[in-house]
Amino acid sequence: MKISIVGSGNVATHLHRALESKAAVCLINPRTFEKFPSDADVVLIAVKDDAIADVASKLPETSAVIAHTSGSVPIEALASHASNYGVFYPLQTFSKKVNLKYSEIPVFLEASSPEAFAMLSKAAGLFTSDIREADSESRRKLHLASVFACNFTNAMIGIGADILADTGIDFSALLPLLRQTVSKLENLSPANAQTGPAIRRDQNVIERHLQMLEGSPAIAGIYSLITHYIQS
Amino acid sequence: MKISIVGSGNVATHLHRALESKAAVCLINPRTFEKFPSDADVVLIAVKDDAIADVASKLPETSAVIAHTSGSVPIEALASHASNYGVFYPLQTFSKKVNLKYSEIPVFLEASSPEAFAMLSKAAGLFTSDIREADSESRRKLHLASVFACNFTNAMIGIGADILADTGIDFSALLPLLRQTVSKLENLSPANAQTGPAIRRDQNVIERHLQMLEGSPAIAGIYSLITHYIQS
């Protein structure tokens, strides 16, 4: 299979790593299409959301299935630039420096035709067994869900790390707790897994915590808002 | 070693499971001390924060080291009720239905004397190799940090699950992303691991997300506040 990946960021880098030993893969800089092979089966556009349509409009002539990799851009963004097109959305948090087990990444596909879907599915199947279908509406909800579940979760852990910083207790002390916070969710819903002073309505502890945060009004505001949310 | 655990909640249940094959352990209902053994080495009071001093005051005569298991209650809460006392704080999220690997749980100790510390350390060492010292001030910060890192993290994941609910995409699709969100933190600080539209300052995506949340003002408020926090 011949796959071209257009991009230079985290997603492009990881798709290249995931596929390079499984297919003939070209990694193409989105500012120059010099090395663009005309005979690719699939072209994956892994660039910033706002640049997708522009990159698609500049692609050299190809019969490949053109797919973008964004959670929040509809499939229609490619409709006027390709005859066979789709979306190839790997649901994972990608950092260049961090290695990943690609076989566990769910890839959500959408395509302009059953043939295009089959081709994208074949490409995804090179590195993962978790291939799912999602239309643009479901995919943008999935992306929003992952902002809460991944990005905001990381921000909460970051606040925890900042609070620990002046105690001399190393951040690594939190890791078993963090692993277990996620492991629990293999068997319990988040609602049933909720613990802590908010869900126990332990008002004494909540008030002491807010006192401790008096010097950090932004953090105190987050504490209050999420505590109320958990209790509602 | 003889250990009595006073309590009937999540922490008491798990300490009993962690220790029952390693020591002579009594699980004692905090409302009746009928079966309280007078010759225990350690008594662990695993009850709600507000009940600790009351339970300590009602304990039958014993030469054991008396310790509570709370993150936010100072060691002094036991000072007038025991001559050898301390704190035995296991940093983990405990649900009765969820099994745990006890050997990975960090236990934070504080004690009224080196002898009491050694005794609590011996008890913790029966199930974990991660024994640390923390005074009451550090421990209450650690507890606050874990509210953000565990309880609020779970709440964020819960919002993600709610957003997914009407797409037909199963919550389990988020699990690889959640595992990776935590795994990254073995090598990166949360600040360096942060990804998503907030840190990229992708204002188009942020505005679309807020539009999607127009029917859920509480969730939209959380989205805005955490997005601003990540950007600041």
Side-chain angles (χ1 to χ4, degrees), chain A residues 166-188:
Chain A
D166 65 338
T167 62
I169 298 170
D170 192 75
F171 172 74
S172 64
L174 287 175
L175 287 171
L177 175 65
L178 297 176
R179 281 188 211 107
Q180 184 58 21
T181 301
V182 170
S183 291
K184 279 170 98 163
L185 300 174
E186 288 167 20
N187 300 302
L188 289 179

Side-chain angles (χ1 to χ4, degrees), chain A residues 93 95 151 154 184 190 194-195, chain B residues 93 95 151 154 184 190 194-195:
Chain A
T93 170
S95 295
N151 306 150
N154 184 73
K184 279 170 98 163
Q194 190 66 54
T195 56
Chain B
T93 170
S95 296
N151 306 150
N154 185 73
K184 277 171 100 164
Q194 190 67 53
T195 55

Side-chain angles (χ1 to χ4, degrees), chain A residues 48-50 72-73 91-95 97-100 104-106 108 132 134 138 140-164 166-167 169-182 184-186 188 190-191 193-198 200 202 204-205 208-209 212-213 218-219 221-223 225-227 229-230, chain B residues 48-50 72-73 91-95 97-100 104-106 108 132 134 138 140-164 166-167 169-182 184-186 188 190-191 193-198 200 202 204-205 208-209 212-213 218-219 221-223 225-227 229-230:
Chain A
K48 286 190 178 176
D49 288 4
D50 299 342
S72 48
V73 174
L91 184 67
Q92 190 46 279
T93 170
F94 296 104
S95 295
K97 287 182 197 168
V98 181
N99 292 326
L100 285 173
E104 282 185 0
I105 300 179
F108 290 83
R132 305 181 187 220
S138 292
R140 69 182 193 134
K141 287 183 181 166
L142 179 61
H143 183 245
L144 177 58
S146 74
V147 167
F148 280 95
C150 167
N151 306 150
F152 289 1
T153 281
N154 184 73
M156 293 302 105
I157 298 169
I159 294 173
D162 290 345
I163 293 168
L164 267 196
D166 65 338
T167 62
I169 298 170
D170 192 75
F171 172 74
S172 64
L174 287 175
L175 287 171
L177 175 65
L178 297 176
R179 281 188 211 107
Q180 184 58 21
T181 301
V182 170
K184 279 170 98 163
L185 300 174
E186 288 167 20
L188 289 179
Q194 190 66 54
T195 56
R200 285 200 311 271
D202 192 335
N204 288 333
V205 169
R208 279 200 300 271
H209 283 168
M212 290 167 73
L213 294 171
I219 310 291
I222 292 172
Y223 187 100
L225 197 61
I226 300 180
T227 292
Y229 176 75
I230 292 170
Chain B
K48 286 189 176 178
D49 288 4
D50 298 341
S72 47
V73 174
L91 184 67
Q92 191 46 280
T93 170
F94 296 103
S95 296
K97 288 182 196 167
V98 181
N99 292 327
L100 285 173
E104 283 185 359
I105 300 178
F108 288 84
R132 305 180 187 220
S138 292
R140 69 183 193 131
K141 288 184 180 166
L142 179 62
H143 182 245
L144 177 58
S146 74
V147 167
F148 280 93
C150 167
N151 306 150
F152 289 0
T153 281
N154 185 73
M156 293 302 105
I157 299 169
I159 293 174
D162 290 346
I163 293 168
L164 267 197
D166 65 339
T167 62
I169 298 169
D170 192 75
F171 172 74
S172 64
L174 288 176
L175 287 171
L177 174 66
L178 297 176
R179 282 187 209 107
Q180 184 58 20
T181 301
V182 170
K184 277 171 100 164
L185 300 174
E186 288 168 19
L188 289 179
Q194 190 67 53
T195 55
R200 285 200 312 270
D202 191 337
N204 289 333
V205 169
R208 280 200 298 273
H209 283 167
M212 291 167 72
L213 295 171
I219 309 292
I222 291 172
Y223 187 99
L225 197 62
I226 300 180
T227 291
Y229 176 75
I230 291 170

Side-chain angles (χ1 to χ4, degrees), chain B residues 43-110:
Chain B
V43 176
L44 299 175
I45 302 179
V47 301
K48 286 189 176 178
D49 288 4
D50 298 341
I52 289 170
D54 183 56
V55 166
S57 73
K58 290 176 180 158
L59 285 183
E61 184 72 20
T62 173
S63 60
V65 178
I66 313 289
H68 73 66
T69 62
S70 165
S72 47
V73 174
I75 188 173
E76 288 77 27
L78 300 174
S80 55
H81 309 295
S83 42
N84 298 303
Y85 56 95
V87 181
F88 186 103
Y89 177 51
L91 184 67
Q92 191 46 280
T93 170
F94 296 103
S95 296
K96 282 184 190 177
K97 288 182 196 167
V98 181
N99 292 327
L100 285 173
K101 235 191 197 171
Y102 298 109
S103 62
E104 283 185 359
I105 300 178
V107 177
F108 288 84
L109 302 179
E110 183 178 12

Side-chain angles (χ1 to χ4, degrees), chain B residues 1-6 12-28 35 37 40-42 44 123 126-127:
Chain B
M1 199 168 186
K2 292 178 183 170
I3 301 174
S4 295
I5 300 165
V6 183
T13 303
H14 275 285
L15 286 175
H16 185 235
R17 282 185 210 159
L19 288 164
E20 61 184 342
S21 66
K22 314 287 175 67
V25 183
C26 266
L27 187 60
I28 293 164
K35 296 180 197 161
D41 299 301
V42 170
L44 299 175
L126 294 174
F127 66 84

Side-chain angles (χ1 to χ4, degrees), chain A residues 65-124:
Chain A
V65 178
I66 314 289
H68 74 65
T69 61
S70 164
S72 48
V73 174
I75 188 172
E76 288 77 27
L78 300 174
S80 54
H81 309 295
S83 42
N84 299 303
Y85 56 95
V87 182
F88 186 102
Y89 177 51
L91 184 67
Q92 190 46 279
T93 170
F94 296 104
S95 295
K96 282 185 188 174
K97 287 182 197 168
V98 181
N99 292 326
L100 285 173
K101 234 191 196 171
Y102 298 109
S103 61
E104 282 185 0
I105 300 179
V107 177
F108 290 83
L109 302 179
E110 183 177 14
S112 58
S113 69
E115 293 72 25
F117 190 95
M119 187 63 90
L120 294 179
S121 187
K122 193 174 161 194

